Amino acid sequence: MTYPKQIETLLRSALQQTSISAELPENLDVQVGPATDSRFGDYQSNVAMVLAKRLKTNPRALAEEISKHFNPGELCEPAQIAGPGFINFRITASSLEAGLIAQINDSERLSLPKLSSEDCKKIVIDFSAPNIAKPMHVGHIRSTIIGDCLARVSRALGHNVITDNHIGDWGTQFGMIIYGWKNFLDQAALNKNPIEALLEIYKKVNDASKDDDAIRQACRDELVKLQQGDAENLSIWNQCVALSRNSLEKIYALLDVKFDHWLGESFYNDRLAPLVKKLKEDGLAEESDGALCIFFPDDPNLAERAPCMIQKRDGGFNYATTDIATIEYRSEEFCADEIWYVVGAEQKLHFDQIFAVAKKCDLDTSLDFIPFGSIMGKDGKRFKTRSGDTVSLTDVLDEAVERAGKIIAEKNPDLSASEMEEISRIIGIGSVKYAELSQNRLTNYIFDWDNMLSLKGNTAPYLINAYVRTRAIFRKLGHEFQGVDSIQLTETAEKSLALKLAQYAEAVPTVLTDFRPNLLANYLYELANTFHSFYEHCPVLRSEGDVRTTRLALCDTTSKVLKKGLGLLGIETTDRM
């Protein structure tokens, strides 16, 4: 039999056909998912229970009626009814064998479906977005890692993705930085650590200006000169941007995060005045206490909130103005079908407002706000240093690699120095990423070194170790898997692993349903658990003939799915650890 679709899709289709033959509503919303208890089946549907409410009939009797007409062909055994009306399906061994052969023959995509050209979208993903002249802090982990994962998954499914790092490279802080550059710059410190030196300059000016009106005015004057194109101030600003970007790119290289564009706030500066003029002429913006604002009297969510200010009393523009101009640019120049913003939950009102403005402007682009919670320390408060300062992202990543190195040195002291360095990097960075991506993005989570680096539980080291175990089999074998034309699944553990491998094609697309990378992380964890159970119950190299071939096929496919799946999370693998 052929195996072109995911099992869930095939079961839903069979149930839809069943509803027609059983004279049930043709628009029946059929939901099928993995069974909550494998003792009763592999997949499960509550369609009879949902429909029984509409028809005011007994759900179990309705389930019996549906199962009587259900004809899935070779896909699964006859449907079984459980409890108040659940319909359970057990996938046949022949279907699982066909699915595994399909994955073996599709080594590039492993049966992952690719969207049709009609379903593909051009998607701009806005994530990370640090400020220039400031170090990235631990709070940037969530936006950077979630955004990168969504980009990887979207591309894998066939979408046309544009990633844009909308850096904060303009605004009032540069008046202070330029004043500090001219009056407090320590060139030696700048050469040694540019970002720390620029931050120190900013702190000095900020402290000095609190009680000195002259300094505050001087900073404003420097900002005006920058905005008017003063050559000296533009030169200082360009140096700040270049130094900051160089530092940022080192962090992104360590994280293996890439951007198609770095269109910061400054890029849109020339578009702001024309935008405000147009909004005013179109009657969308009106004056309020000397400022230009947009009100939302017809929006129940925004009507009672403060309006969206797009021009301040002094004629200056703000973040909202820039963000509206950015949406306009991405819609018109990138021809984006969708724009996704991976941003902290506390910015919800801001994005509600600018999305509402975009709607008023009739911009034909779908806009999604993808919020996330906070990273907490073990004390239940936001993750900070002992002194109360924000934790540097560079320090977090360096410590992750260092801690991973100590664990690996204890487990495998025979590794060479170069192997130790490479594996420590992979495990350390992977652990930080997985700790983030395995969480529901909307929840706060506790940053715990011991948990994230543990070889037990739902962690990157545990998953990578499962991959290492698959590769160790082929090192002992002495050659790579050669492929097969047929396999035979006879043991329960073999069938369970084949089923879990087939679910890779189901798990990946779910990431984009409400933007939940944790669903893919959880799938990979379940796959690692299933593989370890198979490994304990089914000897591989000690088996012979068709049994050995089948088990090697399962090990090789598990290896590829783990590597591919972790890669979609942005996590590298290693053959040894």
Side-chain angles (χ1 to χ4, degrees):
M1 63 179 289
T2 59
Y3 199 86
K5 301 177 181 177
Q6 305 106 298
I7 294 173
E8 282 185 12
T9 303
L10 294 169
L11 285 172
R12 277 197 298 271
S13 177
L15 277 174
Q16 290 282 14
Q17 292 302 315
T18 298
S19 72
I20 296 171
S21 60
E23 298 183 354
L24 300 175
E26 290 188 34
N27 63 346
L28 190 63
D29 183 20
V30 174
Q31 296 297 319
V32 178
T36 53
D37 190 333
S38 61
R39 293 176 301 171
F40 300 110
D42 300 321
Y43 286 83
Q44 186 176 78
S45 177
N46 68 344
V47 64
M49 298 163 68
V50 173
L51 187 58
K53 289 184 178 180
R54 192 195 311 177
L55 300 179
K56 296 181 180 179
T57 188
N58 181 281
R60 188 174 176 94
L62 185 58
E64 297 279 2
E65 177 69 12
I66 292 173
S67 64
K68 196 184 302 179
H69 292 269
F70 180 68
N71 180 19
E74 299 177 49
L75 179 62
C76 67
E77 298 169 5
Q80 300 294 315
I81 310 305
F86 289 106
I87 305 175
N88 292 313
F89 312 97
R90 179 80 64 187
I91 308 303
T92 62
S94 60
S95 294
L96 294 173
E97 289 163 359
L100 185 57
I101 290 293
Q103 282 186 300
I104 292 169
N105 293 332
D106 184 14
S107 59
E108 179 59 33
R109 296 192 62 79
L110 299 169
S111 296
L112 180 67
K114 195 160 189 175
L115 293 168
S116 66
S117 57
E118 293 81 14
D119 292 328
C120 289
K121 304 293 184 183
K122 179 176 277 191
I123 304 169
V124 176
I125 307 181
D126 182 320
F127 65 100
S128 195
N131 288 318
I132 290 298
K134 292 182 180 180
M136 288 182 76
H137 56 77
V138 71
H140 288 105
I141 285 178
R142 303 208 76 173
S143 176
T144 304
I145 294 175
I146 293 172
D148 179 59
C149 175
L150 294 177
R152 290 172 185 264
V153 171
S154 299
R155 285 182 173 132
L157 292 173
H159 290 297
N160 181 358
V161 176
I162 298 172
T163 54
D164 189 3
N165 195 6
H166 188 65
I167 55 175
D169 63 351
W170 203 247
T172 56
Q173 75 271 23
F174 280 100
M176 300 174 72
I177 291 171
I178 291 170
Y179 176 86
W181 182 289
K182 292 179 177 180
N183 292 276
F184 300 120
L185 179 63
D186 182 336
Q187 190 64 50
L190 187 71
N191 294 338
K192 183 179 179 180
N193 191 327
I195 301 302
E196 288 299 327
L198 291 174
L199 181 62
E200 189 60 31
I201 285 174
Y202 178 82
K203 287 180 177 179
K204 281 185 178 179
V205 176
N206 191 44
D207 290 341
S209 65
K210 287 177 180 177
D211 301 314
D212 193 323
D213 290 338
I215 292 180
R216 281 199 298 275
Q217 184 57 49
C219 291
R220 286 193 287 268
D221 292 342
E222 296 291 4
L223 178 62
V224 171
K225 288 167 65 179
L226 172 65
Q227 293 171 337
Q228 293 176 344
D230 178 79
E232 181 185 14
N233 284 15
L234 275 174
S235 174
I236 294 171
W237 176 79
N238 279 317
Q239 290 181 72
C240 289
V241 171
L243 290 169
S244 296
R245 178 158 176 172
N246 183 58
S247 174
L248 291 171
E249 285 180 331
K250 290 177 181 177
I251 295 175
Y252 291 133
L254 185 58
L255 289 170
D256 190 26
V257 172
K258 301 178 180 67
F259 295 95
D260 299 310
H261 299 282
W262 290 61
L263 302 182
E265 294 169 8
S266 64
F267 179 81
Y268 301 96
N269 197 45
D270 293 340
R271 301 175 70 94
L272 304 186
L275 171 65
V276 169
K277 181 181 178 183
K278 183 175 184 298
L279 290 171
K280 189 175 182 180
E281 289 175 349
D282 291 347
L284 299 179
E286 57 187 91
E287 189 173 319
S288 177
D289 293 330
L292 270 181
C293 299
I294 298 176
F295 294 83
F296 309 96
D298 299 326
D299 189 327
N301 295 319
L302 298 174
E304 302 301 321
R305 310 296 292 270
C308 178
M309 183 190 299
I310 58 171
Q311 188 170 33
K312 294 181 282 188
R313 294 176 187 175
D314 62 6
F317 307 113
N318 54 17
Y319 291 123
T321 328
T322 302
D323 283 341
I324 296 166
T326 303
I327 292 174
E328 182 183 62
Y329 179 87
R330 290 167 173 170
S331 179
E332 295 174 354
E333 300 299 324
F334 288 154
C335 299
D337 297 308
E338 301 181 11
I339 307 174
W340 299 351
Y341 290 85
V342 187
V343 188
E346 66 276 4
Q347 295 196 44
K348 184 178 186 305
L349 174 60
H350 171 76
F351 281 96
D352 282 348
Q353 288 185 329
I354 65 168
F355 288 0
V357 174
K359 186 176 180 180
K360 284 175 177 283
C361 295
D362 295 323
L363 292 176
D364 188 24
T365 302
S366 174
L367 303 170
D368 281 291
F369 174 57
I370 305 174
F372 49 80
S374 301
I375 300 176
M376 317 299 283
K378 288 184 178 181
D379 58 1
K381 299 178 181 178
R382 286 211 176 193
F383 193 37
K384 301 276 187 179
T385 64
R386 289 183 179 178
S387 62
D389 294 331
T390 302
V391 180
S392 162
L393 180 54
T394 299
D395 290 345
V396 168
L397 299 180
D398 288 346
E399 186 168 352
V401 174
E402 182 183 345
R403 284 175 177 260
K406 291 178 180 178
I407 294 171
I408 293 163
E410 292 175 4
K411 299 286 185 183
N412 200 344
D414 297 330
L415 290 170
S416 68
S418 60
E419 286 178 316
M420 185 74 70
E421 181 179 351
E422 177 70 359
I423 295 171
S424 298
R425 179 188 63 79
I426 290 172
I427 301 299
I429 301 301
S431 296
V432 171
K433 287 189 174 187
Y434 192 82
E436 166 59 49
L437 295 172
S438 60
Q439 310 293 325
N440 182 315
R441 63 175 169 80
L442 290 171
T443 62
N444 299 335
Y445 76 92
I446 295 174
F447 194 91
D448 187 322
W449 287 115
D450 293 334
N451 284 344
M452 71 173 60
L453 289 166
S454 174
L455 280 165
K456 298 179 181 179
N458 191 8
T459 66
Y462 177 75
L463 294 182
I464 295 172
N465 189 50
Y467 174 80
V468 169
R469 182 172 278 186
T470 65
R471 302 317 308 151
I473 290 169
F474 294 98
R475 279 202 303 275
K476 292 177 183 177
L477 185 64
H479 60 80
E480 292 297 319
F481 181 64
Q482 302 301 311
V484 290
D485 294 324
S486 65
I487 55 174
Q488 294 180 344
L489 300 171
T490 55
E491 298 293 328
T492 300
E494 294 172 345
K495 295 175 184 175
S496 295
L497 183 53
L499 176 64
K500 188 55 64 176
L501 289 167
Q503 290 171 346
Y504 170 70
E506 299 168 1
V508 174
T510 64
V511 170
L512 300 190
T513 302
D514 201 28
F515 311 107
R516 294 180 291 175
N518 63 299
L519 295 182
L520 175 56
N522 292 342
Y523 162 76
L524 294 172
Y525 176 55
E526 291 171 3
L527 174 60
N529 281 338
T530 307
F531 172 73
H532 282 133
S533 179
F534 157 82
Y535 189 81
E536 291 172 7
H537 291 94
C538 300
V540 179
L541 297 180
R542 288 190 283 110
S543 59
E544 298 178 348
D546 291 342
V547 173
R548 188 187 210 216
T549 300
T550 294
R551 291 176 182 177
L552 286 173
L554 287 165
C555 291
D556 186 65
T557 309
T558 299
S559 173
K560 289 175 179 174
V561 171
L562 282 171
K563 186 178 184 69
K564 202 68 122 174
L566 286 169
L568 291 176
L569 298 178
I571 296 172
E572 294 181 65
T573 52
T574 174
D575 286 3
R576 301 180 66 192
M577 63 180 287

